[in-house]
C-alpha cells in the first residue's frame, strides 16, 4: 500500500491557503518527500503525518520554491529526536547547496547522505523505495521521479507440484530464495508466476512537455504533473518560462496512457484552477485540478480468478 | 502613525495556525520586519499587507526559526518587481549567513545593504526608522530592537512673537531649519517648545530576563517579549535554554514601566497560552498572550490644552 499526499499546489511562492508543491509518500513505515518548499513541514503537520520518518527527500531542482523549506524541516526532524540518517537525492550540486543552507541548521543529530544525479535516467533503490529519476526540460537542470512498487509473481501450488518442489521449500522460494536441497537447485520460478503489475506513480515539475516524461509516465497509475497556467492563451508564457499549460499536461497524460492526472504547481495568478478543467478533461478525462492535501492510497490491483 | 502586526507567535518551529514569531511595522510608506521565519511571507499576505515595501529587515539572531524565511521573502519581493535596495541588520556574521542562504535565490533585482551589530547598544537611523539595537542573553549572540518615533516640540506663536521672529520664517523654523535673515540667526527653539513624547516599541526574543532589556524597554508604549513557557514549573527549562517564562517577561515589563506587554515565541508544547495569563496579569496587568496577527496602530498621544 502506497499512501500519497500532494502537500501543496502552488508554484513560485507560497500563498495563504496554498502551500508550495511537494509530494509525500508513505510505504512500509518509510516516508519519502519530493521537494520541500517554504511551509512544507507545516503542510505535513496539517495532513496529520509526521516529519520524523522522512527517510528520503528528492529534489526536482534548486529553485527556491522547491527547496526553501529544507533547513526548517531538518531542524524539526532533529527536534523530534530523529537520529537515523536521511538520504537526499537531486541534480548535480546537491551537497554544496544543502551545506550552504545548513548555515542556519548546524549540529543536526542525524547524518545526511547525498545521491547526486548525473545521468539522463537513473534508477535508485533507497529506503524501501524503487525510484527512477529522469531529466526533463526546465531553465535549470531538473528531474522528474517515478516511484515503482513492484509486485512479485503469484504463487501456484500446482506449479510447485508439477516441478516436484518439496512442500517445506515453498514459502522460502515464494519469497525469492534460491535453495539447494538434496542435490538439486530450486528457484522461485518453480513456484510463482511472472511478476505482476505493481504500483507506479510519476511526479514531474517544472518542465516543458518532453518525450522523457511521456516515456517515464507510461501506464502510470497516477501522474502528478505541473500545470502552471490554466489559460491556453498563456502558452507563449509557458514556452518562455519552461512550464506547461493544463492542456499540455493533459496531452502528456494521454500519450503516456496514464490512469489519472493531478495538476499542480499553479501560478499565483491562477486563482481558480478548477475553472479550466472542463476543456482539459476533453483531452484526458482522468484529469483533476488538484487542491492542497489531495491524497490517495494505492494498493495492488485485485486479481481475476 | 506606526502600524504594527505581530505576524506570528510560534517559537522553534512553525505550526498549523501558528506562524513563527516576527514583527512587521509600517511607518510613512516604509515597512520594516523584525525576523523572518519559514512562512513569514505568507503571514504578511494573510494580514493583507505587501512584501514589496519592506525596506528594512532586522534579525535578532540566526537560529533557523528567525531567518529561514528570508530567501523566500526576497524571491517574492523580486517577483513583485522591487528594485530599491533592502537594508538587512543583525549580529556579526550577517552578510556571510545571508549570502550562504542566497544560493537558492540568485539574481535578485535589488541590492542588499548590510549593517552588522558589534556594540552592546547601537543606534541606527534607516529608511525613516530610528532604531536602537541592544544585546540580550541567549545561547548565541542575540539583539532586541526598539523602534522610536520621535516627536518634535509644539509650535508656539507667542514664543515666536516674543523672540521677534518674522512671520515668513515660522514654518521653516518649525520644520527644524536654522535660518540667517537680515543679519540675524534664527533657530527652531525660537518658535517651538521642547521635544514631546513620541512612540516607543520594544521587541525582544530570544533571551533570559536581563537589565539591558529592562533599560531599553523603559516607558515603552508596547513591549513585545518572548514567553517560551506559560507554566512557571518550566523555569528550569527556561534557564537552561535561555528563554523566559510568562511571569519573567511580565516582571520585565513591570520593571521597565512599559504600558503594554504582548507575549510571543511560544514553545510548540504550549497549546493554550491564554490559560496562563491570569497569574501573569497579577504581576503586570497590561499583559496579553498574543495570538498571530495581533495588530495595533500607535499614534502620538493627545496633548492637554
Amino acid at each position: 500500500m502506497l499512501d500519497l499526499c500532494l502537500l501543496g499546489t502552488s508554484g513560485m511562492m507560497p500563498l495563504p491557503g496554498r502551500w508550495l508543491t511537494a509530494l509525500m509518500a508513505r510505504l512500509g513505515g518509510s516516508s519519502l518527500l519530493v521537494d520541500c518548499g517554504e511551509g512544507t513541514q507545516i503542510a505535513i503537520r496539517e495532513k496529520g503525518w509526521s516529519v520524523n520518518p522522512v527517510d528520503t527527500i528528492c529534489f526536482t531542482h534548486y529553485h527556491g520554491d522547491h527547496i526553501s523549506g529544507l533547513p526548517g524541516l531538518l531542524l524539526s526532524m532533529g527536534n523530534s529526536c530523529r537520529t537515523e540518517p536521511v538520504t537526499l537525492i537531486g541534480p548535480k550540486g546537491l551537497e554544496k547547496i544543502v551545506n550552504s543552507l545548513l548555515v542556519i541548521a548546524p549540529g543536526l543529530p542525524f547524518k545526511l547522505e547525498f545521491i547526486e544525479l548525473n545521468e539522463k535516467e537513473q534508477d535508485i533503490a533507497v529506503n524501501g523505495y524503487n525510484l527512477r529519476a529522469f531529466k526533463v526540460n526546465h531553465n535549470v537542470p531538473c528531474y522528474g521521479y517515478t516511484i515503482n512498487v513492484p509486485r512479485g509473481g503469484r504463487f501456484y501450488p500446482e506449479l510447485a507440484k508439477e516441478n516436484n518442489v518439496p512442500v517445506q521449500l515453498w514459502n522460502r522460494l515464494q519469497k525469492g530464495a534460491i535453495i539447494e536441497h538434496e542435490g538439486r537447485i530450486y528457484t522461485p520460478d518453480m513456484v510463482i508466476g511472472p511478476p505482476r503489475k505493481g504500483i507506479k506513480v510519476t511526479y514531474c515539475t517544472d518542465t516543458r512537455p518532453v518525450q522523457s516524461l511521456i516515456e517515464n509516465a507510461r501506464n502510470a497509475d497516477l501522474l502528478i504533473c505541473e500545470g502552471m497556467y490554466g489559460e491556453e492563451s498563456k502558452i507563449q508564457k509557458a514556452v518562455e518560462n519552461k512550464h506547461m499549460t493544463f492542456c499540455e499536461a493533459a496531452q502528456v497524460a494521454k500519450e503516456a496512457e496514464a490512469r489519472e492526472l493531478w495538476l499542480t504547481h499553479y501560478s499565483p495568478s491562477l486563482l481558480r484552477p478548477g475553472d479550466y478543467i472542463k476543456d482539459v478533461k476533453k483531452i484526458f478525462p482522468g484529469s483533476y485540478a488538484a487542491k492542497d492535501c489531495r491524497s490517495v492510497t494505492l494498493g495492488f490491483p485485485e486479481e481475476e480468478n
Side-chain angles (χ1 to χ4, degrees), chain A:
Chain A
M1 301 281 264
L2 179 68
D3 278 337
L4 294 171
C5 177
L6 181 60
L7 296 164
T9 57
S10 194
M12 239 166 100
M13 59 182 76
L15 298 176
R18 196 190 282 177
W19 299 113
L20 284 167
T21 294
L23 175 72
M24 188 153 167
R26 303 197 305 181
L27 179 71
S30 176
S31 296
L32 173 144
L33 203 57
V34 188
D35 284 340
C36 183
E38 181 176 355
T40 292
Q41 64 163 315
I42 316 174
I44 294 171
R45 287 194 194 93
E46 273 189 0
K47 168 69 181 169
W49 287 2
S50 168
V51 299
N52 189 294
V54 174
D55 298 318
T56 312
I57 309 175
C58 305
F59 295 100
T60 56
H61 64 301
Y62 307 127
H63 279 158
D65 52 332
H66 295 259
I67 191 172
S68 50
L70 182 67
L73 176 75
L74 295 177
L75 282 166
S76 290
M77 289 168 74
N79 283 325
S80 77
C81 300
R82 183 181 176 100
T83 53
E84 301 83 10
V86 176
T87 306
L88 306 183
I89 302 170
K92 208 177 158 181
L94 175 67
E95 188 165 357
K96 200 177 155 196
I97 285 173
V98 170
N99 284 333
S100 212
L101 292 177
L102 290 186
V103 65
I104 57 166
L108 293 172
F110 49 83
K111 274 194 186 169
L112 297 178
E113 290 165 358
F114 297 92
I115 298 177
E116 300 207 355
L117 305 169
N118 294 298
E119 311 293 328
K120 279 191 171 174
E121 295 197 348
Q122 218 163 317
D123 288 317
I124 306 145
V126 62
N127 300 323
Y129 286 83
N130 290 286
L131 305 175
R132 167 165 284 196
F134 54 95
K135 205 164 190 180
V136 290
N137 176 23
H138 196 41
N139 50 25
V140 294
C142 186
Y143 283 79
Y145 291 90
T146 289
I147 303 172
N148 283 298
V149 185
R151 187 181 194 189
R154 193 176 177 183
F155 174 70
Y156 291 104
E158 316 83 54
L159 186 64
K161 285 174 196 161
E162 257 172 49
N163 288 312
N164 295 316
V165 180
V167 173
Q168 69 266 35
L169 305 185
W170 288 10
N171 188 273
R172 286 164 61 207
L173 288 170
Q174 196 184 343
K175 288 176 179 162
I178 295 169
I179 305 168
E180 191 178 345
H181 179 76
E182 294 183 356
R184 191 181 162 203
I185 304 287
Y186 295 89
T187 52
D189 61 309
M190 292 174 170
V191 302
I192 59 177
R196 291 166 289 182
K197 181 174 169 11
I199 302 167
K200 178 174 177 176
V201 176
T202 298
Y203 178 95
C204 188
T205 170
D206 309 7
T207 184
R208 291 289 303 144
V210 282
Q211 197 57 32
S212 67
L213 170 54
I214 295 167
E215 291 314 322
N216 278 286
R218 179 77 60 209
N219 295 320
D221 296 289
L222 173 61
L223 168 60
I224 299 173
C225 185
E226 80 136 279
M228 190 80 170
Y229 307 106
E231 313 88 326
E232 263 311 286
S233 60
K234 293 203 173 164
I235 178 80
Q236 198 49 42
K237 218 166 169 178
V239 172
E240 277 162 25
N241 298 331
K242 299 244 180 183
H243 285 292
M244 285 192 229
T245 64
F246 280 15
C247 287
E248 286 182 314
Q251 190 60 37
V252 166
K254 182 184 175 181
E255 289 179 37
E257 299 179 78
R259 194 196 293 171
E260 199 165 308
L261 167 69
W262 294 1
L263 293 159
T264 185
H265 200 273
Y266 307 132
S267 162
S269 67
L270 184 53
L271 299 183
R272 284 176 297 278
D275 287 359
Y276 300 90
I277 204 68
K278 208 174 154 190
D279 285 343
V280 178
K281 278 184 181 286
K282 286 180 194 162
I283 299 168
F284 183 75
S287 303
Y288 297 89
K291 291 183 183 170
D292 282 23
C293 199
R294 188 178 174 104
S295 303
V296 70
T297 299
L298 296 174
F300 293 128
E302 289 290 323
E303 298 211 293
E304 289 161 26
N305 284 311

